[in-house]
Amino acid sequence: MPAITFASRHKESATRSHAAGTAPFDYLPKSSLDKLSKINHFLIHAFQNSISDIKENLTGTYLFLLTDTDGVLLSMDYSSDLEAVVEHSPIRPGMIFTAQSCGVNAISVTMNSNEPVCLLPEQHESPYFQSWHCYASPLTMGSQHFGYLDVSTINADMQGELIAIAKLIPAYMQNSYQSQQAAELSEKSAVEFTERQLTILEMIAEGLTVKAIALKLKIKECTVNHHKKVIFNKLGVQSSTEAVSIASRLSYL
């Protein structure tokens, strides 16, 4: 794991002023969050399973956050004594933890540096987060980058334990994630694509439009749409983003 860096070594500029906590935070619309959650369901379940196991052995006060690669909060959990604090905070799924949305915070710093980072309360830009000691880290499994993990506490004496816990969670998540992948691979092992369908799937993954695919393959757009429909049905999805995500997990891409 890369060395831990401290936020004072990094500089970020927010496009909004968060002084006095007057600026609104950015949130993903519910419909977009629902789609994102579906795409990242493996990651979310792995996070939730891991936190559930770890929380049984914790006596301190902790907040756990999981975001995608763009800093969108996908899932969260916290110790029971933080329920009132969290309910009265702006933190909820869909919140975007970029510096532009929240001011400088542990997740935005690790997004910028791609390294684990510890952030002290006074190093947060938004007053809403200035009672938190935070440790954030990129989440990778193999060569794939999935998102970011943040573990926070309001107790300064627990900073060492905070880092230790945050280092344990990715290993728990990886085991859970791989178990889910293996189960889905087994369930969908019968999925077969024709050579043309695989070609179109690869082009979809490259971001090509239906028109661009049709021109490149010298076929009609309606033919491309037919192949897309068949591909989606085989993968059990409803969008190109979901198709690419699941096809990648199943090693078709």
Side-chain angles (χ1 to χ4, degrees):
M1 177 176 288
I4 299 168
T5 58
F6 286 79
S8 56
R9 301 178 190 174
H10 299 277
K11 293 183 180 179
E12 295 185 56
S13 60
T15 56
R16 302 180 178 187
S17 171
H18 291 265
T22 56
F25 296 105
D26 291 333
Y27 297 86
L28 203 66
K30 186 179 184 305
S31 58
S32 300
L33 178 61
D34 289 342
K35 292 178 182 178
L36 195 61
S37 297
K38 187 173 181 180
I39 294 168
N40 289 281
H41 69 284
F42 276 171
L43 184 63
I44 293 170
H45 286 311
F47 170 77
Q48 292 171 340
N49 292 340
S50 302
I51 298 305
S52 178
D53 290 341
I54 289 174
K55 279 178 63 178
E56 293 179 2
N57 301 307
L58 296 181
T59 56
T61 296
Y62 291 102
L63 171 68
F64 305 91
L65 305 176
L66 171 71
T67 80
D68 73 347
T69 54
D70 293 320
V72 178
L73 184 59
L74 298 174
S75 185
M76 59 189 291
D77 203 340
Y78 44 86
S79 49
S80 57
D81 55 345
L82 277 180
E83 186 170 352
V85 174
V86 174
E87 285 182 355
H88 290 87
S89 80
I91 304 173
R92 63 177 185 269
M95 188 174 187
I96 303 172
F97 277 84
T98 59
Q100 289 74 21
S101 170
C102 299
V104 173
N105 64 86
I107 294 173
S108 75
V109 175
T110 200
M111 287 176 69
N112 184 54
S113 66
N114 201 36
E115 295 179 351
V117 61
C118 287
L119 215 66
L120 303 178
E122 63 271 18
Q123 293 173 312
H124 289 87
E125 189 171 354
S126 170
Y128 284 107
F129 306 132
Q130 287 177 355
S131 59
W132 293 97
H133 297 259
C134 303
Y135 175 97
S137 176
L139 284 172
T140 56
M141 297 182 195
S143 60
Q144 289 184 284
H145 176 211
F146 288 88
Y148 301 94
L149 169 72
D150 178 283
V151 182
S152 301
T153 180
I154 56 176
N155 190 335
D157 296 333
M158 294 181 178
Q159 186 168 308
E161 185 177 347
L162 171 86
I163 295 173
I165 292 168
K167 286 183 176 180
L168 284 173
I169 294 173
Y172 275 77
M173 288 183 64
Q174 183 164 355
N175 290 336
S176 177
Y177 191 96
Q178 289 174 338
S179 296
Q180 292 179 74
Q181 271 194 321
E184 184 158 308
L185 278 169
S186 177
E187 291 174 5
K188 296 191 175 183
S189 59
V191 175
E192 293 183 1
F193 294 107
T194 64
E195 185 175 342
R196 177 50 58 89
Q197 288 165 358
L198 284 173
T199 299
I200 291 175
L201 185 55
E202 289 169 357
M203 291 181 173
I204 292 172
E206 292 171 4
L208 272 64
T209 63
V210 169
K211 183 176 183 179
I213 293 172
L215 288 172
K216 196 165 184 177
L217 296 180
K218 298 180 180 179
I219 57 178
K220 295 180 179 179
E221 290 183 33
C222 63
T223 304
V224 176
N225 281 322
H226 171 73
H227 283 303
K228 280 186 65 176
K229 183 177 180 180
V230 173
I231 291 168
F232 287 7
N233 287 339
K234 287 184 176 182
L235 291 173
V237 301
Q238 297 180 340
S239 72
S240 295
T241 303
E242 291 177 275
V244 171
S245 177
I246 291 180
S248 296
R249 292 171 190 160
L250 298 175
S251 301
Y252 288 111
L253 295 174

